[in-house]
Amino acid sequence: MTKLWKNQSFTINHADDGKFEGQGLRAFFEYRQLGISEATQGKFGAHVIRAVPGMESPAAWHSHELDFQMVYVTKGWVVFEYEETGEHILREGSCVLQPPGIKHREVRHSDDLELIEITSPAEFSTEAEDA
């Protein structure tokens, strides 16, 4: 039985143990779950996202129903566009906090893009939006 500390369990996730899966929010990305959802009973989610080489984003506007969403780029670059603030190029070391409900879209990315996304809660809905 796993001991819980304040509704969380201890977890460690190593890159050489994890595998990327193509079953995620976007078909042009692959996702490696970091075990945070299970350890926090779904209160938080964290995963590494990497680009599928040769696949492009359809650049569709959307928003998410969640409390927290942070993206940190670890490799490559990505261009996001946000309502009221325009396009932003994020590169290795860039971090963005996407406020709840902000309309945004992923415009383009490098084939070697990798980023970490942390959300609360782990599972959330995504809504298509008009530009």
Side-chain angles (χ1 to χ4, degrees), residues 64-80:
H64 304 294
E65 183 66 35
L66 42 57
D67 297 321
F68 179 87
Q69 183 179 24
M70 186 203 86
V71 173
Y72 181 86
V73 178
T74 59
K75 186 177 182 184
W77 56 268
V78 61
V79 176
F80 286 114

Side-chain angles (χ1 to χ4, degrees), residues 7-125:
N7 298 318
Q8 295 182 14
S9 60
F10 181 81
T11 186
I12 294 177
N13 189 289
H14 299 282
D16 53 356
D17 294 336
K19 61 181 174 183
F20 283 87
E21 297 178 355
Q23 301 168 346
L25 187 60
R26 308 278 175 235
F28 48 91
F29 287 149
E30 295 177 317
Y31 301 78
R32 181 170 67 88
Q33 298 301 324
L34 299 177
I36 304 303
S37 177
E38 296 81 5
T40 63
Q41 300 178 4
K43 290 183 181 173
F44 297 90
H47 46 260
V48 180
I49 301 173
R50 73 178 179 194
V52 176
M55 291 190 72
E56 295 183 11
S57 168
W61 284 95
H62 62 281
S63 65
H64 304 294
E65 183 66 35
L66 42 57
D67 297 321
F68 179 87
Q69 183 179 24
M70 186 203 86
V71 173
Y72 181 86
V73 178
T74 59
K75 186 177 182 184
W77 56 268
V78 61
V79 176
F80 286 114
E81 184 175 8
Y82 298 95
E83 66 176 310
E84 298 184 20
T85 68
E87 285 191 6
H88 300 272
I89 300 172
L90 282 69
R91 58 192 180 286
E92 185 175 324
S94 296
C95 180
V96 61
L97 176 66
Q98 298 179 171
I102 190 170
K103 294 178 187 178
H104 63 285
R105 66 183 182 150
E106 193 271 353
V107 179
R108 60 192 169 278
H109 58 265
S110 62
D111 274 349
D112 65 343
L113 173 68
E114 285 192 16
L115 56 87
I116 296 171
E117 180 180 58
I118 300 171
T119 65
S120 180
E123 299 291 326
F124 53 87
S125 64

